[in-house]
Amino acid sequence: MKNLFRNIPADLPEELFETLAQGGSTSIKRIVSKGHTTDWYDQQENEFVVVLKGAARLEFEEGQFREMGPGDCMLIPARARHRVAWTEADTETIWLAVHFLPGEAAK
């Protein structure tokens, strides 16, 4: 059994990505950020993301920003250009991200 809040390195020079489960074109990942930002993503998959701990700001190509804290979640549609514009520098931001192809949402 894994715990999403454990086994986080003290030093995080880059975001930590860990695949927790994968099947077909669907994957579930734990992402740990600590003061990290990203370049623009333009993914072929939908991404359902939830912040479990910490805080972050997502920026979308249209100029929209979304502030996220513990429990906040959203669906980012495939091809929606976005980036992580900010994460807390003093504590880990722990994300849970589910990637899946359009048309494969749970019914």
Side-chain angles (χ1 to χ4, degrees), residues 79-97:
R79 310 313 306 205
R81 285 181 47 88
H82 66 285
R83 70 184 198 96
V84 177
W86 171 86
T87 58
E88 286 188 307
D90 297 335
T91 188
E92 295 89 6
T93 297
I94 301 176
W95 314 73
L96 189 66

Side-chain angles (χ1 to χ4, degrees), residues 5-78:
F5 301 107
R6 292 193 185 132
N7 298 321
I8 298 172
D11 185 33
L12 285 172
E14 298 178 356
E15 279 188 307
L16 174 67
F17 291 85
E18 179 184 7
T19 301
L20 303 172
Q22 187 168 353
S25 61
T26 302
S27 67
I28 302 170
K29 295 179 181 175
R30 175 181 78 161
I31 304 168
V32 182
S33 309
K34 190 171 183 181
H36 297 99
T37 60
T38 68
D39 289 329
W40 291 97
Y41 290 111
D42 185 359
Q43 302 168 154
Q44 295 181 10
E45 305 91 5
N46 292 319
E47 180 178 8
F48 178 81
V49 63
V50 59
V51 171
L52 303 173
K53 175 186 174 190
R57 181 181 308 116
L58 297 180
E59 178 181 6
F60 290 84
E61 186 174 45
E62 305 81 33
Q64 299 172 327
F65 288 89
R66 296 286 186 261
E67 304 286 335
M68 299 184 73
D72 290 334
C73 60
M74 66 182 304
L75 177 65
I76 303 170

